[in-house]
Amino acid sequence: MAQLQARFFTENHKYVVDDVPFSIPAASEIADLSNIINKLLQAKHEDHKYVEFDFLVKGQFLRMSLVKHMEAENISTEEVVEIEYVEKYTAPQPEECMFHDDWISSIEATEEWILTGSYDQTSRIWSLEGKSIMTIAGHTEVVKDVAWVKKDSLSCLLLSASLDQTILLWEWNVERNKVKALHCCRGHAGSVDSIAVDCTRTKFCSGSWDKMLKIWSAVPTDEEDEIEEAANRPRKKQKIEQLGLTRTPIATLSGHTEAISSVLWSDAEEICSASWDHTIKIWDVETGGLKSTLTGNKVFNSISYSPLCRRLASGSTDRHIRLWDPRTKDGSLVLLSLTSHTGWVTSVKWSPTHEQQLISGSLDNVVKIWDTRSCKAPLYDLAAHEDKVLCVEWTEAGLLLSGGADNKLYSYRYSATTSDVGA
């Protein structure tokens, strides 16, 4: 049987083996290599419990026999092959399936509830177990994005943004399960596609098809802002007035030349906005000035920022996910591309607990979980949806969520901690 010379290494100090070449069968697969590492660890520590490992060769996860992988990647079998090993993650399990009456455009979850927005013109609050708690109706058009503002003991504040060009600030009385529109935020002249709340939970920003980025107060008041209204629209105005007090923006940041598809706060004083104009812009909130521009060559649909690795991830119409350093001086420098989707990437979201993992959704109907150490092969494909995936979410508690054009919201349980086989 053909043998290969291999040296094993890991960044996890608990599982380090001797840094010497071993002779191993060329046809070894993941389970065989895992056995080798466990035997080596057992020889060092008698009380070692069996751990499942995953293996990377030149930055790609091994998903076939070692020799086939090396042939596919043009790696010489004559030299010592360097193999990195990491604890294996357990596959996410689908838990619940929830239904809207139309496409699900957006999801944001807390440790207790899931908030969704839909093309059926409503937002919904669900329990983590998938029970529908509240349907929030008030927009006259499709809901494009939703966000939680804050929660105290008795009530929650939340936002919904719509194709009707408004954002509604709602108060949900949890105890009585009643919802009330407090403010109708008006000022955009196009569909409001993305909203994000800052870390103080007192402000939020919005991005629109009108190419503008706006900043608003998220604090409820009893005051109504004056808005310049065309004289010939009394009926529309009357309808709007029934839903909360009019609120106008604190600031408007202009600079994009096409629709804004995705906005986020990278810290308390910095907003990132992604656009169909092939750029991601980074703004100083205090001055309203543009700090820098990251330039791609395709439409951006979605961005996500990880404070853990301080990277932006973007999803585009050319099927690729790209990682960027928002503080770079070279705005065209892509750190890494993750390539496996076969359709537009509609949504990306970093893990809140693991700096190398993120989730993506695409028009190819598939949700993928990635480890950025392996850019050609995702960790997992989640193929529950029967139609386009439009939004994904990843919570601190390890719940993954995806919504799509099949009107379904799926939840998956995923421990971004590792599998304890021997436990």
Side-chain angles (χ1 to χ4, degrees):
M1 192 190 232
Q3 300 278 308
L4 286 172
Q5 295 291 303
R7 183 186 275 115
F8 294 99
F9 69 98
T10 184
E11 288 176 13
N12 191 332
H13 301 304
K14 273 196 304 195
Y15 301 127
V16 172
V17 298
D18 293 341
D19 184 17
V20 294
F22 295 94
S23 187
I24 59 170
S28 298
E29 302 210 359
I30 299 173
D32 310 312
L33 297 178
S34 222
N35 285 336
I36 292 168
I37 299 293
N38 277 285
K39 282 193 180 124
L40 292 168
L41 290 170
Q42 225 151 9
K44 290 177 86 169
H45 314 283
E46 279 177 22
D47 57 351
H48 170 74
K49 284 201 176 77
Y50 191 91
V51 179
E52 279 193 73
F53 291 103
D54 242 334
F55 297 86
L56 295 111
V57 180
K58 291 223 166 153
Q60 297 302 326
F61 279 108
L62 195 61
R63 292 292 180 256
M64 52 189 87
S65 73
L66 189 54
V67 70
K68 278 191 184 154
H69 181 94
M70 290 172 73
E71 280 167 12
E73 295 288 325
N74 290 326
I75 301 166
S76 164
T77 52
E78 301 299 310
E79 293 160 29
V80 177
V81 58
E82 303 277 336
I83 303 176
E84 182 178 3
Y85 55 103
V86 294
E87 264 186 278
K88 192 179 181 72
Y89 292 93
T90 48
Q93 300 305 316
E95 288 213 332
E96 306 295 341
C97 177
M98 295 150 259
F99 292 87
H100 261 279
D101 297 331
D102 207 334
W103 295 11
I104 296 171
S105 63
S106 45
I107 320 167
E108 188 168 280
T110 67
E111 59 280 358
E112 289 178 82
W113 300 296
I114 301 161
L115 176 62
T116 54
S118 169
Y119 279 57
D120 64 15
Q121 305 187 4
T122 71
S123 309
R124 278 193 196 171
I125 299 166
W126 311 80
S127 72
L128 298 184
E129 296 72 46
K131 185 168 160 282
S132 177
I133 298 172
M134 166 62 76
T135 300
I136 304 168
H139 285 290
T140 57
E141 264 292 357
V142 165
V143 173
K144 295 302 295 278
D145 202 6
V146 290
W148 294 98
V149 180
K150 63 192 285 196
K151 153 183 185 255
D152 56 37
S153 56
L154 296 175
S155 68
C156 289
L157 292 176
L158 50 106
L159 292 161
S160 56
S162 170
L163 185 65
D164 68 14
Q165 307 183 3
T166 71
I167 304 136
L168 290 170
L169 175 63
W170 303 88
E171 182 178 47
W172 173 41
N173 183 314
V174 181
E175 203 177 26
R176 292 183 21 237
N177 199 22
K178 290 267 192 295
V179 72
K180 179 181 163 202
L182 302 180
H183 290 282
C184 180
C185 305
R186 302 171 70 199
H188 279 297
S191 173
V192 187
D193 272 26
S194 181
I195 45 177
V197 181
D198 80 334
C199 57
T200 68
R201 320 309 285 174
T202 59
K203 290 197 291 284
F204 70 94
C205 63
S206 59
S208 164
W209 274 77
D210 67 6
K211 311 170 192 172
M212 298 299 164
L213 174 68
K214 291 183 187 280
I215 300 170
W216 316 73
S217 165
V219 181
T221 63
D222 296 329
E223 287 158 36
E224 176 137 40
D225 294 345
E226 282 297 311
I227 191 157
E228 285 167 33
E229 187 64 53
N232 61 349
R233 286 170 58 193
R235 275 179 71 188
K236 182 90 178 269
K237 187 164 196 290
Q238 191 182 357
K239 191 165 188 183
I240 295 282
E241 272 170 1
Q242 292 167 23
L243 279 180
L245 302 166
T246 299
R247 174 161 285 183
T248 54
I250 301 165
T252 298
L253 311 182
S254 65
H256 281 294
T257 57
E258 292 290 343
I260 296 173
S261 54
S262 187
V263 295
L264 58 82
W265 299 75
S266 39
D267 64 34
E269 290 301 327
E270 189 176 274
I271 292 172
C272 303
S273 58
S275 167
W276 283 44
D277 67 10
H278 304 184
T279 69
I280 298 166
K281 293 191 183 290
I282 295 148
W283 308 85
D284 184 311
V285 174
E286 194 63 38
T287 64
L290 184 63
K291 284 169 122 170
S292 61
T293 299
L294 305 173
T295 308
N297 54 5
K298 281 286 182 293
V299 162
F300 287 112
N301 294 319
S302 174
I303 49 173
S304 176
Y305 179 72
S306 168
L308 302 176
C309 65
R310 303 175 64 161
R311 296 282 179 266
L312 269 175
S314 67
S316 286
T317 53
D318 65 356
R319 313 187 307 280
H320 299 296
I321 297 155
R322 293 179 176 84
L323 304 192
W324 311 77
D325 176 359
R327 284 158 193 80
T328 182
K329 295 283 171 277
D330 178 359
S332 60
L333 182 68
V334 176
L335 301 173
L336 197 64
S337 292
L338 306 176
T339 306
S340 166
H341 279 298
T342 57
W344 288 23
V345 180
T346 51
S347 186
V348 289
K349 190 74 200 266
W350 281 101
S351 161
T353 53
H354 192 301
E355 65 180 52
Q356 284 156 323
Q357 292 193 3
L358 61 125
I359 182 176
S360 61
S362 163
L363 297 189
D364 63 14
N365 305 3
V366 180
V367 174
K368 291 178 187 279
I369 300 175
W370 299 87
D371 185 304
T372 55
R373 290 169 292 194
S374 178
C375 54
K376 284 186 199 159
L379 274 178
Y380 297 107
D381 282 358
L382 310 180
H385 285 282
E386 293 143 17
D387 205 337
K388 302 181 275 289
V389 179
L390 302 176
C391 49
V392 292
E393 167 72 318
W394 192 326
T395 76
E396 298 237 356
L399 198 63
L400 304 180
L401 297 153
S402 61
D406 53 6
N407 308 354
K408 290 177 183 171
L409 169 70
Y410 282 101
S411 68
Y412 317 81
R413 182 62 59 186
Y414 181 57
S415 54
T417 55
T418 40
S419 59
D420 297 316
V421 175

